[in-house]
């Protein structure tokens, strides 16, 4: 997969399109031998012995009936059907293999070579025994551990020959069925087995499968496409041969079929052909696949929708022009609708496709304008890591367009990104980069738009804008946002709300705002040393002060500095306030501030009020804002924070209107 320069897209797990037992069984009822008894169960030693005996009995029949005698053909047909019925139960598949059924079934994949004397031209149950054998072997191959045994026993050449049975000109139901069962068996044998996929190609299996795509029986078309789908998965030589056999025009026509099963298989083949194959991807696009794939997004078949979305995501990695063409041809709206499906895989594949499309600047605003933001943000709540990441990656792309910034904020996207619980580290990194992109776009006309919303939008939007700007705005813009355009009052309104969530959002934003204000400092620098006149004073009465406090106070008066320890800091603060020693007060406040905790912050604030300790008071306020979620559950804190709102307002007004020393130097 290809990645944008500034962020690596998580590779979507593209599963091999498996030919499952259910597909093998589809349509079997019409072919069933009604004389077949229900399969025995296999529970316990006795059940195992009974079942094994039944299997070996059928194997004996197959071993002794390889002729064109009508009785032999009837018996062989019945035996293959019995074994197929048993093989439908995966719990007994191992017993069937244990009973040596594989060699017997493989033998009957081909017809007897010579006719019985006197029966020239008569071929009783022609194709029927081979069909039953192929069907049973396909069911056994559902278990990967049996695939190699079946191939090593010589099944592949016979199965490939069965694919060619229609070439004799007899297009009967029996011919159709045997061809279909052979294709299904190849599908299961090659599933997730790279060496068998290669063996199928070497045995000449791909050309007849491509030829069967044009077969008149839709069931045969589906089976052939299913086999090609499996053979193409992660096998470049197979992919190239399928394309060289001119399969693409027929596959693209199949995309337009009214039969959902046909277009589902066709889009699956094309998806596996283009995966990690840029040259084939271009060939598929040149062959006209884009529009029919986009149309499949609106199919009633959810599997086809999913495959189409995945394929569009792969197409979108080709080049920027292809991304634009996909959007221009109407893919965005159905993809956004799929984001809201009940099907998790549909949501994942549509998010994947939109994520790829959103890496082009021409598409980003269009996806947001068509309503893509909110469903993508909602997917961040998913407990599916891959789905969550695909949504995050799509949002990362949308955040690159400054026209989307206000929309992100209006729908609460920033809070969603900040508060989300993300499963994998790659998603966390993606979200962090998305927030950074948004922050980089908050200037110029984007900032002017947000300021306009602060003034005129409905209250909920105003609050979201204020919260966002507290986190993402530049420090140089804080005054115009929070003082001149009422942003501070919006944050204080949240802090004073009766909603715990709004209170927490407001406190977090105010704390972030305080940290970003370049002029804020909880402890100012100490003033210069006392003047010489003070030092000449002789008789000064110092009542109600301990000797240790007096000694430190005198040392500060005469030297301008002193080491303040925590055990004496509060008494020394009281004395410094009493005798107007501002520098000493600040040193005491700094020492006391180091000891602020969840347990004592309220009393520390009361201490700052009692002794007019503004620096300590501001430190307490910042601590309360920072630890709001932990403090809010404590008795009396809610009342305290409401009482402090005027003080918090004064604090921020002073901080945000104070001239920036950097500006003054300029």
């Amino acid at each position: 997969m290809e990645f944008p320069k500034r962020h690596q897209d998580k590779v979507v797990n593209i599963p091999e399109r498996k030919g499952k037992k259910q597909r093998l069984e589809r349509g079997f009822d019409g072919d069933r031998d009604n004389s077949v008894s229900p399969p025995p169960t296999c529970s316990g030693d006795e059940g195992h012995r009974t079942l094994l005996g039944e299997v070996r009995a059928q194997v004996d029949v197959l071993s002794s009936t390889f002729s064109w005698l009508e009785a032999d053909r009837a018996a062989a047909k019945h035996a293959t059907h019995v074994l197929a019925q048993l093989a439908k139960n995966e719990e007994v598949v191992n017993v069937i293999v244990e009973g040596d059924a594989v060699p017997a079934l493989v033998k009957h994949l081909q017809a007897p070579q010579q006719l019985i004397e006197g029966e020239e031209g008569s071929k009783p149950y022609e194709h029927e025994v081979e069909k039953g054998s192929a069907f049973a072997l396909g069911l056994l191959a559902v278990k990967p551990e049996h695939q190699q045994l079946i191939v090593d026993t010589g099944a592949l050449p016979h199965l490939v020959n069965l694919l060619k049975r229609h070439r004799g000109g007899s297009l009967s139901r029996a011919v159709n069925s045997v061809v279909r069962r052979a294709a299904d068996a190849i599908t299961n044998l090659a599933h997730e087995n790279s060496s068998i996929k290669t063996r199928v190609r070497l045995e000449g299996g791909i050309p007849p499968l491509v030829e069967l795509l044009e077969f008149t029986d839709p069931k045969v078309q589906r089976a052939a496409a299913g086999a090609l789908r499996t053979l193409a998965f992660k096998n470049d030589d197979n992919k190239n041969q399928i394309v060289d056999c001119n399969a693409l025009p027929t596959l693209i026509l199949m995309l337009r079929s009214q039969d959902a099963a046909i277009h589902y298989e066709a889009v699956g083949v094309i998806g596996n052909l283009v995966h990690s194959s840029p040259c084939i991807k271009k060939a598929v696009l040149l062959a006209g696949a884009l529009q029919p794939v986009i149309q499949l997004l609106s199919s009633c078949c959810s599997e086809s929708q999913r495959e189409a979305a995945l394929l569009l995501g792969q197409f979108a990695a080709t080049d920027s022009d292809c991304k634009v063409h996909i959007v221009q041809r109407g893919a965005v709206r159905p993809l956004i609708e799929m984001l809201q499906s009940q099907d998790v895989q549909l949501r994942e594949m549509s998010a994947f496709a939109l994520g790829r499309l959103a890496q082009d600047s021409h598409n980003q605003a269009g996806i947001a304008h068509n309503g893509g933001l909110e469903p993508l943000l909602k997917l961040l709540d998913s407990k599916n890591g891959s789905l969550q990441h695909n949504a995050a990656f799509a949002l990362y792309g949308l955040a690159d367009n400054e026209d989307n910034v206000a929309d992100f904020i209006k729908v609460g996207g920033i809070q969603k990104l900040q508060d989300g619980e993300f499963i994998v580290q790659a998603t966390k990194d993606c979200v962090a980069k998305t927030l950074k992109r948004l922050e980089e776009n908050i200037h110029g006309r984007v900032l002017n738009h947000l300021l306009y919303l602060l003034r005129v939008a409905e209250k909920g939007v105003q609050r979201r804008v204020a919260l966002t700007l507290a986190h993402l705005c530049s420090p140089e813009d804080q005054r115009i946002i929070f003082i001149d355009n009422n942003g501070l009052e919006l944050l204080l309104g949240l802090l004073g709300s009766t909603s715990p969530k709004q209170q927490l959002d407001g406190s977090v934003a105010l704390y972030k705002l305080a940290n970003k204000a370049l002029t804020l400092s909880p402890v100012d620098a100490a003033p210069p040393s006392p003047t010489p006149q003070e030092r000449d004073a002789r008789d000064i009465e110092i009542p109600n002060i301990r000797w240790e406090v007096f000694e430190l106070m005198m040392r500060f008066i005469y030297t301008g500095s002193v080491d303040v320890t925590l055990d004496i800091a509060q008494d020394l603060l009281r004395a410094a306030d009493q005798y107007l020693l501002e520098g000493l007060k600040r040193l005491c406040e700094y020492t006391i501030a180091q000891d602020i905790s969840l347990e004592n912050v309220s009393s520390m604030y009361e201490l700052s009020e009692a002794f007019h300790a503004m620096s300590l008071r501001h430190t307490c306020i910042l601590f309360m804002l920072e630890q709001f979620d932990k403090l809010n559950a404590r008795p009396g804190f809610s009342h305290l924070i409401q009482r402090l709102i005027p003080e918090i307002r004064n604090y921020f007004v002073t901080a945000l209107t104070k001239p920036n020393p950097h500006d003054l130097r300029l």
Side-chain angles (χ1 to χ4, degrees):
M1 288 198 168
E2 301 164 11
F3 308 119
K5 294 180 180 178
R6 284 185 284 175
H7 175 72
Q8 190 177 51
D9 180 6
K10 182 176 185 292
V11 176
V12 168
N13 180 26
I14 303 176
E16 178 172 353
R17 283 74 175 186
K18 182 178 181 181
K20 296 184 178 179
K21 184 173 68 172
Q22 287 86 345
R23 180 168 59 192
L24 279 170
E25 293 178 359
R26 188 186 301 136
F28 179 70
D29 289 342
D31 302 329
R32 182 173 296 160
D33 183 346
N34 293 327
S35 65
V36 175
S37 302
T41 59
C42 181
S43 57
D45 292 342
E46 183 63 31
H48 179 273
R49 284 193 296 271
T50 301
L51 179 60
L52 187 58
E54 173 70 13
V55 170
R56 284 176 173 162
Q58 303 306 323
V59 169
D60 289 342
V61 170
L62 291 175
S63 299
S64 61
T65 57
F66 193 60
S67 79
W68 278 114
L69 286 173
E70 185 170 354
D72 285 349
R73 294 292 286 176
K77 175 185 175 183
H78 181 270
T80 59
H81 275 64
V82 170
L83 292 173
Q85 286 288 341
L86 292 173
K88 288 182 179 181
N89 181 355
E90 288 191 34
E91 294 180 2
V92 305
V93 164
N94 290 343
V95 181
I96 298 172
V97 174
E98 181 186 349
D100 295 324
V102 170
L105 289 167
V106 169
K107 181 179 180 179
H108 281 271
L109 287 174
Q110 56 185 326
Q113 294 300 312
Q114 295 181 346
L115 294 174
I116 302 300
E117 184 178 351
E119 294 188 2
E120 286 79 359
S122 174
K123 293 183 178 180
Y125 302 106
E126 187 176 13
H127 312 298
E128 294 287 346
V129 179
E130 299 91 290
K131 177 190 71 176
S133 296
F135 181 52
L137 288 168
L139 289 169
L140 296 179
V142 168
K143 283 202 167 184
E145 60 266 32
H146 302 317
Q147 293 169 340
Q148 198 62 49
L149 170 64
I150 296 170
V151 170
D152 290 344
T153 308
L156 278 183
H158 299 319
L159 290 170
V160 171
N161 284 331
L162 292 180
L163 295 176
K164 306 171 185 176
R165 280 280 174 101
H166 66 287
R167 293 178 179 175
S170 173
L171 298 181
S172 65
R173 177 181 174 184
V175 170
N176 295 354
S177 294
V178 72
V179 171
R180 176 161 58 95
R181 293 306 182 195
D184 285 341
I186 288 173
T187 299
N188 276 16
L189 283 170
H191 172 59
E192 293 185 352
N193 191 315
S194 58
S195 65
I196 293 178
K197 290 176 187 178
T198 299
R199 285 279 298 274
V200 173
R201 183 184 76 253
L202 296 177
E203 293 288 350
I206 289 178
L209 285 169
V210 172
E211 184 180 327
L212 290 172
L213 294 177
E214 299 186 40
F215 204 71
T216 54
D217 186 332
K219 292 181 180 179
V220 174
Q221 291 180 37
R222 294 200 303 262
L228 290 171
R229 182 181 195 165
T230 296
L231 295 173
F233 187 68
K234 294 184 178 179
N235 191 306
D236 290 341
D237 290 333
N238 284 3
K239 292 179 185 182
N240 291 331
Q241 188 173 55
I242 292 168
V243 174
D244 290 344
C245 288
N246 202 32
L248 291 183
T250 306
L251 288 169
I252 291 171
L253 289 174
M254 291 169 70
L255 293 176
R256 301 181 184 274
S257 171
Q258 297 299 309
D259 186 329
I262 288 180
H263 59 60
Y264 165 66
E265 295 291 358
V267 73
V269 180
I270 295 172
N272 283 350
L273 287 173
V274 305
H275 179 52
S276 301
S277 300
C279 292
I280 294 179
K281 194 181 301 180
K282 291 180 180 178
V284 168
L285 288 169
L286 288 173
L290 186 55
Q291 195 61 50
V293 171
I294 291 173
Q295 289 172 344
L296 285 182
L297 295 176
S298 302
S299 168
C300 60
C301 173
S302 61
E303 290 87 353
S304 293
Q305 288 181 293
R306 183 177 68 240
E307 298 290 347
L310 174 58
L311 187 51
L312 288 175
Q314 293 171 309
F315 285 159
T318 303
D319 52 47
S320 184
D321 286 344
C322 187
K323 292 181 177 71
V324 174
H325 293 159
I326 291 170
V327 173
Q328 289 174 335
R329 293 182 181 218
V332 169
R333 285 190 180 276
L335 285 171
I336 291 173
E337 290 174 3
M338 288 163 61
L339 290 176
Q340 302 163 74
S341 167
Q342 296 299 311
D343 185 324
V344 174
Q345 289 185 313
L346 267 185
R347 297 200 298 271
E348 181 180 348
M349 290 303 104
S350 57
F352 168 70
L354 287 168
R356 288 299 187 86
L357 295 173
Q359 305 314 307
D360 181 90
S361 59
H362 296 287
N363 297 339
Q364 291 156 356
I367 293 172
H369 177 72
N370 281 282
L373 266 176
E374 290 189 79
L376 285 169
L377 288 166
K378 187 175 181 181
L379 292 182
L380 296 181
D381 294 330
S382 171
K383 302 304 180 185
N384 180 307
S386 181
L387 173 56
Q388 191 183 66
H389 183 82
N390 284 330
F393 184 65
L395 290 166
Y396 169 76
L398 299 185
D400 196 38
N401 192 314
E402 62 182 18
D403 289 329
N404 292 339
V405 175
D407 289 328
F408 256 99
I409 294 171
K410 285 193 288 187
V411 300
I414 309 303
Q415 287 72 47
K416 198 79 168 178
L417 292 168
Q418 291 172 329
D419 299 342
E421 297 180 3
F422 304 112
I423 298 170
V424 297
Q425 186 60 45
T427 306
K428 296 175 184 177
D429 295 341
C430 182
V431 168
K433 291 178 180 180
T434 302
L435 288 168
K436 185 65 177 176
R437 272 189 168 181
L438 292 165
E439 182 176 8
E440 291 170 350
N441 277 322
I442 296 179
H443 59 80
R445 66 183 180 89
V446 174
L447 179 58
N448 288 336
H449 184 185
L450 296 175
L451 293 176
Y452 175 75
L453 293 176
L454 273 180
R455 296 191 299 270
V456 305
E458 58 96 12
K459 199 70 168 181
V461 172
Q462 288 181 326
R463 287 172 171 170
R464 290 186 193 118
V465 173
L467 287 170
T468 296
L469 292 176
H471 288 276
L472 301 184
C473 77
S474 168
E476 295 81 39
D477 296 323
Q478 287 179 323
R479 175 168 181 163
I480 191 173
I481 295 166
F482 295 100
I483 303 301
D484 299 345
N485 283 275
N486 211 39
L488 177 60
E489 292 305 316
L490 289 164
L491 296 181
L492 292 172
L494 289 170
L495 191 63
S497 166
T498 57
S499 163
K501 178 65 168 66
Q502 289 189 350
Q503 289 177 337
L504 180 59
D505 287 343
S507 65
V508 171
L510 286 166
Y511 181 73
K512 181 71 174 181
L513 182 61
N515 281 337
K516 292 184 76 168
L518 299 179
T519 56
L520 293 182
S521 176
V523 179
D524 297 329
S529 300
T531 60
Q533 287 85 346
E534 286 176 331
R535 293 178 180 175
D536 292 339
R538 294 186 177 181
D539 299 325
I540 302 175
E541 184 177 354
I542 310 292
N544 302 322
I545 296 180
R546 289 188 293 131
W547 170 253
E548 296 88 343
V549 174
F550 171 76
E551 184 179 30
L552 288 172
M553 188 171 68
M554 289 300 100
R555 185 177 301 168
F556 178 81
I557 290 173
Y558 281 93
T559 67
S561 65
V562 67
D563 292 331
V564 181
T565 58
L566 188 59
D567 60 338
I568 205 170
Q570 292 194 26
D571 288 342
L572 191 56
L573 174 65
R574 182 183 297 108
D577 180 61
Q578 182 177 348
Y579 292 98
L580 305 179
L581 298 173
E582 291 300 320
L584 182 58
K585 275 182 66 174
R586 291 173 190 169
L587 290 175
C588 294
E589 289 176 70
Y590 178 79
T591 299
I592 294 169
Q594 308 313 301
D595 190 45
I596 293 177
S597 68
L598 296 172
E599 287 70 27
N600 68 17
V601 65
S602 296
S603 60
M604 290 294 191
Y605 184 81
E606 292 173 0
L607 180 71
S608 73
E609 283 191 310
F611 299 113
H612 311 288
M614 295 304 298
S615 179
L616 178 60
R617 187 181 307 181
H618 293 163
T619 303
C620 288
I621 288 173
L622 289 179
F623 184 88
M624 292 179 198
L625 293 174
E626 180 185 19
Q627 302 294 333
F628 188 91
D629 57 332
K630 297 176 182 176
L631 289 166
N632 201 31
R634 294 174 178 255
F637 180 76
S638 178
H639 176 73
L640 173 62
I641 206 72
Q642 300 305 313
R643 181 166 66 85
L644 291 184
I645 287 178
E647 180 69 31
I648 295 172
R649 177 184 291 106
N650 292 337
Y651 171 70
F652 278 98
V653 168
T654 300
L656 296 178
T657 56
K658 186 186 297 183
N660 190 325
H662 177 72
D663 293 338
L664 294 177
R665 287 196 299 272
L666 292 178

